[in-house]
Amino acid sequence: MKVLIFGATGMIGQGVLRESLIDPQIEQVTVVGRNPTGQRHPKLREVVHANMDDLGPIMPQLAGHDACFFCVGVSSAGMSEAEYTRVTHDLTLKVARPLAALCPNMTFIYVSGSGADSSERGRVMWARVKGKTENALRELPFRASFVVRPGFIQPMHGIRSRTRLYNALYAVLSPLYPLWKVLFPGLVTSTEQLARAMIAVARDGTAKYVLETRDINAIGQRELAARAGGRRAEHV
């Protein structure tokens, strides 16, 4: 499987990149972003492109991929609805529409957020915009498309957010993660479980279009257990 990752320098994207590079069923990982990741790996190709509103100049490098993980996202804090729509809904569709035309056999997976409003009529601005984006993606002629809506995400394996405030928040909250997993299994996940779930859905599909945190964890845990079992079998 050959995969594209948009937003690989963000926390979620870092997790997806890590898991994609170590997955033996993924033969090539192409990262598209405004800045390089700084990583080196035999499977990794990087396409640095400043203008995400126009993928035309780099379209030949995006052909032939089986899946796309769209991990681009920003906080809505301090943004107007028009501005947030531009950087969330509009940008996502400017990437997804040409990809659907170029790679109709592709599976497109969009990272949304817990609480997104698919009715598009709720009172919470960011939730309406996310829901509008989810609905628009569903209409595109990909082989398949899916939405993941994670809640609180625990970074693992040294992954850090690009936002200093978030890193400080995670430093405070991380010791509580094991407890939250028990008390609120439908609200918390990890970068590892989320990435494993996204890869599994890209590979195998799933019955649901929207995957909430419980769905993400169920698939991610199954994938991690299977990987651990395979490692044990190799040493028998």
Side-chain angles (χ1 to χ4, degrees):
M1 184 164 66
K2 296 181 179 180
V3 303
L4 281 171
I5 303 175
F6 285 79
T9 58
M11 190 179 73
I12 295 173
Q14 290 176 57
V16 174
L17 175 57
R18 178 187 186 274
E19 294 300 318
S20 296
L21 291 175
I22 66 177
D23 191 310
Q25 293 183 307
I26 295 179
E27 60 184 279
Q28 180 179 301
V29 181
T30 302
V31 168
V32 184
R34 294 185 175 92
N35 300 294
T37 65
Q39 296 198 39
R40 298 290 182 270
H41 192 281
K43 295 197 297 190
L44 178 62
R45 296 173 57 220
E46 295 209 47
V47 179
V48 178
H49 184 61
N51 183 13
M52 289 298 165
D53 288 331
D54 179 15
L55 298 184
I58 63 169
M59 290 302 287
Q61 299 176 72
L62 309 185
H65 290 82
D66 304 295
C68 176
F69 302 118
F70 195 83
C71 309
V72 178
V74 297
S75 169
S76 63
M79 300 181 74
S80 67
E81 183 163 354
E83 185 179 11
Y84 187 68
T85 297
R86 182 181 63 79
V87 300
T88 299
H89 172 273
D90 297 353
L91 176 62
T92 304
L93 272 294
K94 285 178 179 178
V95 170
R97 283 175 178 143
L99 277 181
L102 180 70
C103 305
N105 291 321
M106 172 180 282
T107 295
F108 191 94
I109 299 182
Y110 173 64
V111 179
S112 184
S114 180
D117 176 17
S118 57
S119 77
E120 304 181 34
R121 295 190 297 270
R123 298 179 62 182
V124 181
M125 181 271 283
W126 75 263
R128 288 196 308 272
V129 175
K130 286 284 192 182
K132 180 180 179 180
T133 308
E134 295 175 1
N135 293 338
L137 290 171
R138 194 169 195 172
E139 300 303 316
L140 296 182
F142 288 111
R143 181 177 70 88
S145 58
F146 301 96
V147 168
V148 292
R149 290 179 176 175
F152 176 83
I153 305 170
Q154 171 65 28
M156 300 183 67
H157 305 295
I159 289 172
R160 291 175 60 83
S161 170
R162 291 175 297 176
T163 305
R164 184 176 301 176
L165 177 61
Y166 289 174
N167 286 324
L169 188 63
Y170 285 121
V172 173
L173 297 179
S174 290
L176 299 175
Y177 176 65
L179 178 62
W180 288 1
K181 283 176 61 179
V182 175
L183 297 179
F184 309 108
L187 298 178
V188 299
T189 188
S190 69
T191 51
E192 184 177 47
Q193 285 191 112
L194 175 57
R196 290 311 319 165
M198 291 170 64
I199 292 170
V201 170
R203 184 189 67 225
D204 303 326
T206 188
K208 294 183 176 181
Y209 173 63
V210 175
L211 302 176
E212 303 285 357
T213 300
R214 285 185 183 274
D215 306 309
I216 293 166
N217 288 340
I219 298 171
Q221 288 167 4
R222 185 180 67 225
E223 289 292 302
L224 290 170
R227 184 167 71 185
R231 287 173 178 170
R232 285 195 294 270
E234 291 176 359
H235 291 87
V236 172

